[in-house]
Amino acid sequence: MHQEKQESQDGRILLYEDYNIRVSSQPNVYGEKFVLRLLKKNTNIRNIFDLGFPGTEEQLKKSIHKKNSITIIAAPTGEGKTTTLYSIMDYLNSPEINITTIEDPVEIRIQGLNQVEIDANKTSFSNSLRTVLRQDPDIILVGEIRDTETGEIAIQAGQTGHYVLSTIHTIDSIEVITRLRKMGLSDYDISSTLATAISQRLVRKLCPKCKKEREFNNEEKKIITTIGEKYNVAFDLSGTTYEASGCKYCNNTGYYDRIGIFEVLDITDQIKEAIMAGKSSLEIRRLALEQSYKPLIIDGLRKVVDGYTTIEELNKKLLIY
Ligand SMILES: [Zn+2]
């Protein structure tokens, strides 16, 4: 990185054996602000169900790996999109399937995949994607759909027999449709290729060494029951919950490690029709709720009831009260 230039920069620190550090800097009125992301090297890919993916393997199989289609994982930055993408890739990985990835940068190396790293200064996702398509892989991972061109080629890839996995920055899975529309993709293209949109957040898990067991209080019961009723989900609150405490193991935070909370939007025939008819995201959301779609908050509350995290922690991510 340049020391004298007053401009925003991206860089990497490659000093450590176990970690890479991604650095982003931006000048401001006081000097420069830095954001550092720690990335563990040689990390084991975690099983998607260990990450907190809800539902059964059957349901997962139904949602992913449909030929001629696209699956998009949508979330704000730092909510674990890449980890989920790698877990799905690892799950689909087998010697008879050709998987090619286009990434910026390659964060984790997985045996058996053809991983292509793009250099943003020299080429783009869309250019690399065009080259990859000529090689005709079965599954293509596009690190991120950032622009119309990439979106168009990804859809084209989906329409011509490939299975495409990618990510997009939106707050939930329904907004994926809005974002693709805003990129200028047609309702026909979106409805004919988008198969699944998954959204997620990361919440901290209660520290296993110091969490304190207690009953749910009335206020918590009211919050959980009210939200549950809104989405036709009954939670059993007769069990106990846990309070975050603090010990040496968790650095006195009461939490240790993180878990994902997810929502899965399957683009059913009815939702395809709604997209084709140009329905708004609100209308599509209403339709999805009548079907199998359950919003993030429901999986979040499930993880509170199951004792993985607390309602306070969930509230920090989703503002539920
Ligand atoms: Zn602890």
Side-chain angles (χ1 to χ4, degrees):
M1 298 174 85
H2 316 287
Q3 276 180 302
E4 61 294 333
K5 276 193 198 164
Q6 280 290 302
E7 58 184 34
S8 52
Q9 296 182 70
D10 289 311
R12 273 188 275 180
I13 298 174
L14 305 169
L15 277 176
Y16 307 97
E17 220 171 88
D18 298 334
Y19 289 89
N20 282 336
I21 305 174
R22 267 168 79 181
V23 186
S24 157
S25 80
Q26 184 173 46
N28 62 24
V29 289
Y30 298 109
E32 270 181 288
K33 175 175 178 276
F34 282 82
V35 173
L36 285 79
R37 288 179 76 185
L38 281 176
L39 297 164
K40 206 172 175 182
K41 278 195 222 169
N42 306 318
T43 177
N44 288 326
I45 306 287
R46 285 165 75 177
N47 179 293
I48 181 122
F49 296 105
D50 292 342
L51 298 175
F53 197 83
T56 61
E57 195 165 341
E58 275 311 301
Q59 284 165 320
L60 176 71
K61 272 188 193 158
K62 238 181 75 188
S63 295
I64 62 171
H65 202 191
K66 296 169 176 166
K67 276 193 189 297
N68 300 305
S69 71
I70 300 184
T71 290
I72 290 180
I73 300 169
T77 304
E79 296 289 350
K81 286 191 293 285
T82 310
T83 307
T84 303
L85 210 52
Y86 278 120
S87 296
I88 294 177
M89 278 289 138
D90 194 50
Y91 180 78
L92 297 171
N93 193 4
S94 77
E96 62 274 14
I97 298 177
N98 183 320
I99 304 179
T100 301
T101 75
I102 306 166
E103 302 168 73
D104 174 26
V106 170
E107 287 177 8
I108 305 170
R109 289 179 190 200
I110 307 180
Q111 197 132 38
L113 303 193
N114 303 291
Q115 294 178 279
V116 177
E117 182 165 273
I118 64 164
D119 179 345
N121 298 321
K122 289 180 191 148
T123 184
S124 60
F125 273 117
S126 50
N127 275 336
S128 304
L129 186 50
R130 260 190 218 106
T131 314
V132 164
L133 274 177
R134 272 180 237 127
Q135 300 210 340
D136 201 25
D138 302 298
I139 301 176
I140 307 166
L141 176 148
V142 184
E144 190 188 334
I145 298 181
R146 284 180 194 160
D147 52 71
T148 310
E149 217 182 344
T150 310
E152 277 169 354
I153 307 167
I155 289 216
Q156 206 185 319
Q159 285 166 341
T160 50
H162 308 91
Y163 176 56
V164 182
L165 271 156
S166 192
T167 68
I168 220 165
H169 285 252
T170 62
I171 54 161
D172 67 25
S173 55
I174 310 263
E175 286 306 315
V176 169
I177 299 164
T178 314
R179 179 58 54 85
L180 293 174
R181 278 173 167 165
K182 274 195 178 152
M183 282 180 180
L185 301 169
S186 74
D187 288 338
Y188 170 77
D189 281 340
I190 300 167
S191 63
S192 64
T193 30
L194 185 63
T196 313
I198 297 169
S199 188
Q200 70 175 96
R201 294 290 186 282
L202 291 174
V203 292
R204 290 179 301 167
K205 269 160 87 173
L206 280 154
C207 170
K209 296 203 192 278
C210 67
K211 61 182 181 182
K212 285 200 183 113
E213 196 170 2
R214 65 163 170 82
E215 312 241 299
F216 281 102
N217 64 38
N218 286 337
E219 202 188 332
E220 289 163 340
K221 279 184 182 166
K222 200 178 151 204
I223 293 168
I224 299 172
T225 316
T226 311
I227 297 171
E229 276 167 3
K230 193 174 162 193
Y231 298 110
N232 287 318
V233 178
F235 290 106
D236 178 9
L237 302 176
S238 60
T240 48
T241 184
Y242 297 92
E243 207 155 290
S245 182
C247 67
K248 219 175 158 187
Y249 183 68
C250 60
N251 209 8
N252 271 316
T253 58
Y255 295 92
Y256 195 89
D257 200 4
R258 292 189 292 178
I259 190 167
I261 55 176
F262 294 87
E263 63 173 34
V264 179
L265 175 70
D266 283 317
I267 309 294
T268 59
D269 289 347
Q270 290 91 329
I271 294 176
K272 280 181 198 295
E273 275 170 18
I275 298 171
M276 275 297 281
K279 299 269 197 240
S280 71
S281 56
L282 270 176
E283 287 171 294
I284 293 170
R285 186 181 162 84
R286 208 174 299 135
L287 178 64
L289 285 169
E290 285 169 16
Q291 305 185 332
S292 61
Y293 168 75
K294 299 278 179 240
L296 280 169
I297 184 71
I298 291 297
D299 191 41
L301 289 177
R302 168 80 49 215
K303 268 143 193 156
V304 172
V305 174
D306 289 348
Y308 289 108
T309 190
T310 62
I311 202 155
E312 294 84 32
E313 174 67 10
L314 188 62
N315 191 46
K316 276 188 200 153
K317 276 287 153 73
L318 296 177
L319 298 174
I320 51 179
Y321 54 84

